[in-house]
Amino acid sequence: QIHLVESGGGSVQPGGSLRLSCVASGNIANLSCMSWFRQSPEKEREGVAGINFRGSTIKYADSVRGRFTISQDYAKNMVFLQMNSLKPDDTAMYYCAVAFGRSCGDDWNEPALVNWWGQGTQVTVSS
């Protein structure tokens, strides 16, 4: 049983940056895949980035590759999403997610396989 708490969202202009944080109450050594999803009124929930235990496997959606970076601090039970060169299309509610006992393989971005979700943090990119 784990609990995820997210922070770092906000409003920025196009081209700006934000850093999202997620802290897990449980032992992340038992969590094979931690990821970030986003959802907006125009789109269904989609995977943004994922990272497995020790960071040996990292996944990105094509729409964010080269702009976003996912990382993890295992000592602090935290996962981060650095978002640079933000675009209006990045506007969404961003959720931290955990797939227990999985390896961030080809199914890393499948919402049905997520066991635990954070409460969400809003990111708004506009002039």
Side-chain angles (χ1 to χ4, degrees), residues 9-127:
S11 297
V12 297
Q13 297 183 12
S17 297
L18 286 172
R19 183 174 176 84
L20 307 184
S21 300
C22 173
V23 60
S25 62
N27 184 359
I28 62 173
N30 296 324
L31 309 175
S32 296
C33 185
M34 299 188 69
S35 58
W36 292 92
F37 286 70
R38 65 186 181 186
Q39 187 172 13
S40 68
E42 296 80 19
K43 302 176 181 178
E44 63 185 25
R45 190 166 298 191
E46 61 177 352
V48 177
I51 185 169
N52 76 335
F53 183 60
R54 301 190 186 279
S56 58
T57 301
I58 296 176
K59 303 288 188 180
Y60 293 105
D62 290 342
S63 59
V64 307
R65 186 174 292 108
R67 299 188 297 120
F68 292 9
T69 302
I70 189 170
S71 61
Q72 192 166 14
D73 187 336
Y74 291 97
K76 298 180 179 179
N77 292 331
M78 298 185 72
V79 63
F80 308 93
L81 186 67
Q82 178 67 46
M83 305 186 294
N84 298 327
S85 301
L86 283 163
K87 305 175 180 179
D89 285 348
D90 295 319
T91 296
M93 186 74 74
Y94 283 71
Y95 299 91
C96 182
V98 173
F100 194 88
R102 307 193 72 85
S103 61
C104 288
D106 291 339
D107 58 359
W108 70 274
N109 60 350
E110 176 54 60
L113 299 180
V114 173
N115 299 106
W116 305 106
W117 298 96
Q119 81 284 357
T121 184
Q122 179 67 39
V123 172
T124 301
V125 185
S126 63
S127 299

